[in-house]
Amino acid sequence: MPFHWDKKDWLKLGMVVGATGSLMLLDQKIKTFSQNNKSPVASKFAVLGNDLGNGAYTLPAVGSFYLYGYLADDNKARKTSLLALESFALSGLLTSGLKVLAERHRPSTGDLPTAWDGPRVSMKNLSFSSGHTASAFSIATVFAEQYKDHAWVPPVAYSLATLTGLSRIYSNAHWSSDVFFGGAIGYFMSKAILKLRKDDEKTATHLMILPAVSKEMTGVRVKYDF
């Protein structure tokens, strides 16, 4: 995709990188604030937010929506489900790659936000970027765009995705910059996929994405026929 970017695309990348860098300067303060202002109500919302970014919960939900589309002969529902799964898969691949290369220490370790051991390939410290947030925004963006004719869908979809991001900070699993960059990956990945698949009626026949859930990991299996 970068080989086909124009000036606007590079500008967007610059803005995302700039915002991420700015948040890195505030990571420690944001962590301290979130950990010092916990409450029973906020903790319950955090549980919901974490679940919304977990493929073990979201993939069955998206799969059920596809099943609805199949039974109701709703082509838009089927296509939306497949687009969401495609975005979920590609966002997951990108965030996973960044995690093992960056090897940033999670805030829960007690280390400073400047503790990075990358670039190198490792499965030890996987804070940057937030996979949960990327997953949530990848699915939310697809549904928000596909059903933007329903005024309530975009704000609800993006609010739930934002809840996931805030929950990762609240749960001390990610720094704020991890969350922002993960959300940007999910959002822009979905935008790119929607643009590529626009008016492509063959998407459902060429693309097959199935959930793969085990004790060790949650992900997807992807098959695409060119």
Side-chain angles (χ1 to χ4, degrees):
M1 289 298 295
F3 295 105
H4 302 285
W5 284 2
D6 56 24
K7 291 183 179 180
K8 290 183 179 180
D9 294 318
W10 287 107
L11 178 60
K12 291 175 183 177
L13 176 62
M15 293 175 64
V16 169
V17 172
T20 302
S22 297
L23 281 173
M24 286 180 179
L25 301 176
L26 302 173
D27 274 337
Q28 187 62 53
K29 291 183 178 180
I30 293 174
K31 171 195 171 178
T32 301
F33 178 83
S34 66
Q35 299 309 297
N36 291 340
N37 291 274
K38 291 196 171 185
S39 70
V41 175
S43 295
K44 291 181 179 179
F45 276 104
V47 171
L48 174 61
N50 284 316
D51 288 345
L52 289 172
N54 189 337
Y57 297 98
T58 54
L59 288 179
V62 175
S64 298
F65 193 68
Y66 179 88
L67 180 61
Y68 153 75
Y70 176 79
L71 296 176
D73 195 23
D74 187 336
N75 183 61
K76 185 176 182 179
R78 294 197 302 269
K79 185 173 183 179
T80 298
S81 301
L82 291 175
L83 288 168
L85 289 173
E86 183 178 11
S87 181
F88 174 92
L90 295 179
S91 297
L93 287 174
L94 183 53
T95 53
S96 295
L98 287 174
K99 283 176 179 288
V100 299
L101 288 174
E103 200 180 350
R104 188 185 196 185
H105 294 215
R106 291 184 185 272
S108 57
T109 64
D111 296 329
L112 293 174
T114 52
W116 301 65
D117 295 334
R120 67 179 186 179
V121 179
S122 173
M123 297 297 293
K124 186 176 180 181
N125 298 299
L126 306 174
S127 188
F128 187 83
S129 56
S130 173
H132 278 67
T133 310
S135 297
F137 271 93
S138 67
I139 294 175
T141 303
V142 170
F143 277 87
E145 288 296 314
Q146 288 289 96
Y147 290 94
K148 59 185 177 183
D149 51 325
H150 298 277
W152 61 272
V153 174
V156 169
Y158 287 126
S159 293
L160 292 175
T162 301
L163 176 61
T164 294
L166 294 176
S167 297
R168 301 307 286 164
I169 299 172
Y170 183 89
S171 300
N172 211 26
H174 282 289
W175 303 100
S176 60
S177 54
D178 299 335
V179 167
F180 176 81
F181 200 79
I185 288 175
Y187 175 81
F188 286 109
M189 182 65 75
S190 295
K191 285 286 191 176
I193 289 173
L194 288 166
K195 183 178 180 180
L196 288 171
R197 303 292 178 238
K198 187 177 181 180
D199 299 324
D200 181 9
E201 298 298 333
K202 298 181 179 180
T203 298
T205 59
H206 284 289
L207 178 67
M208 181 178 292
I209 305 179
L210 300 173
V213 181
S214 67
K215 293 182 179 179
E216 291 77 21
M217 64 170 291
T218 300
V220 293
R221 290 181 289 129
V222 184
K223 177 184 178 183
Y224 194 87
D225 296 326
F226 293 92

